[in-house]
Amino acid sequence: MKEKFENDDEWINDSLKQKSWHEIRSNDSWVIFKIMAEFVNGYETMARIGPCVSIFGSARTKPEDPYYLLAEEIACKVSNAGYGVITGGGPGIMEAGNKGASQGSSPSVGLNIELPFEQHFNPYIDHDKNVNFDYFFVRKVMFVKYAQAFVVMPGGFGTLDEMFEALTLIQTKKIAKFPIILVGSSFWGGLMDWIKNVLIEKHHNANPEDLNLIKVVDTAEEVVEIIDNFYKKYSLSPNF
């Protein structure tokens, strides 16, 4: 585990010395079977649950933080509106999401990732709806495949990665369009300004209409309204 080392250089050097290049290459083929097993387990578990709303955010957010409390409120309202809630299964915003969902009427699901720090299952996941992953990319497939919406709370690099993954897949029409909702205008405002003013208007690296893929809100009521209106528009309904 990384924490036993004093710095990143020691960790990297130890990792590289553990196996020869030949050993690494010879094991690559066997890793494929482990990846396949994670996909099969994820698909079988999630197919029984059905599509949900995925809630993302920082693992470091404390229970007294206003965004923790807001995520809990959002998850409860989403659950009572008939949508299951998926989180990364860990602490912080993920815990808040599962806690709120557990107070509602729909499933509370956790997709956990094995990490050397921060991550562990929170106690608010339905006992038969927690899935563990070693690979981030397998886990992200589950988030996207079974999501009817993404609710993105303030977070770090992992949260940004998951958000932009979904945006890219929708933009390139690799998956069907669904709502991507950023919660916290004071947190996300700078990023949205940069996307509009620099990414789009200055460098033309995306289309202006791509901004329509994202909604920025500040309340739980707005989140539920956006999701409900989207699915009413396309004559869809919650899956539970």
Side-chain angles (χ1 to χ4, degrees):
M1 304 293 272
K2 183 178 177 181
E3 63 256 43
K4 72 179 180 179
F5 301 107
E6 293 184 1
N7 56 57
D8 284 343
D9 288 340
E10 289 187 16
W11 178 48
I12 292 169
N13 287 335
D14 183 81
S15 299
L16 293 174
K17 289 176 182 176
Q18 284 181 15
K19 295 181 179 179
S20 68
W21 180 243
H22 174 74
E23 289 176 312
I24 293 172
R25 293 187 63 185
S26 64
N27 288 333
D28 282 349
S29 297
W30 292 105
V31 170
I32 293 173
F33 292 101
K34 186 175 181 181
I35 294 169
M36 289 172 59
E38 286 204 354
F39 273 117
V40 170
N41 183 46
Y43 285 148
E44 288 186 345
T45 301
M46 296 304 297
R48 292 193 296 268
I49 299 168
C52 301
V53 171
S54 293
I55 297 180
F56 301 101
S58 176
R60 306 182 188 194
T61 306
K62 303 302 182 185
E64 64 272 14
D65 189 289
Y67 283 121
Y68 182 105
L69 299 174
L70 181 55
E72 183 181 344
E73 181 187 359
I74 289 169
C76 184
K77 289 184 181 298
V78 164
S79 179
N80 283 327
Y83 303 90
V85 172
I86 302 175
T87 80
I93 293 296
M94 295 174 282
E95 178 183 286
N98 289 125
K99 184 178 180 181
S102 70
Q103 299 164 13
S105 56
S106 300
S108 175
V109 185
L111 307 181
N112 196 47
I113 185 76
E114 291 286 348
L115 295 176
F117 54 92
E118 290 181 352
Q119 193 81 341
H120 54 79
F121 274 123
N122 68 67
Y124 301 103
I125 302 166
D126 293 344
H127 74 278
D128 59 340
K129 296 177 176 63
N130 54 347
V131 188
N132 215 34
F133 296 91
D134 284 322
Y135 300 97
F136 271 108
F137 64 91
V138 179
R139 180 174 175 249
K140 286 198 291 184
V141 169
M142 302 304 150
F143 275 126
V144 173
K145 180 174 177 61
Y146 295 98
Q148 290 186 301
F150 272 17
V151 176
V152 190
M153 306 295 297
F157 291 142
T159 302
L160 292 170
D161 175 52
E162 289 153 344
M163 179 187 74
F164 280 114
E165 172 96 1
L167 282 170
T168 300
L169 291 171
I170 292 173
Q171 180 201 45
T172 56
K173 302 187 187 309
K174 292 297 183 181
I175 62 173
K177 181 180 178 181
F178 57 68
I180 296 178
I181 307 164
L182 309 188
V183 180
S185 55
S186 62
F187 183 89
W188 297 108
L191 176 63
M192 295 301 295
D193 289 341
W194 178 81
I195 292 174
K196 179 178 183 293
N197 298 325
V198 179
L199 187 69
I200 294 176
E201 294 183 357
K202 184 176 181 179
H203 292 285
H204 310 291
N205 288 331
N207 296 322
E209 56 267 27
D210 289 336
L211 280 174
N212 297 330
L213 298 173
I214 310 168
K215 303 293 184 184
V216 182
V217 304
D218 288 297
T219 68
E221 290 77 13
E222 290 174 294
V223 171
V224 175
E225 182 180 10
I226 288 170
I227 297 171
D228 278 345
N229 287 344
F230 181 87
Y231 285 99
K232 287 176 183 175
K233 177 180 178 181
Y234 292 101
S235 298
L236 302 173
S237 61
N239 292 272
F240 303 100

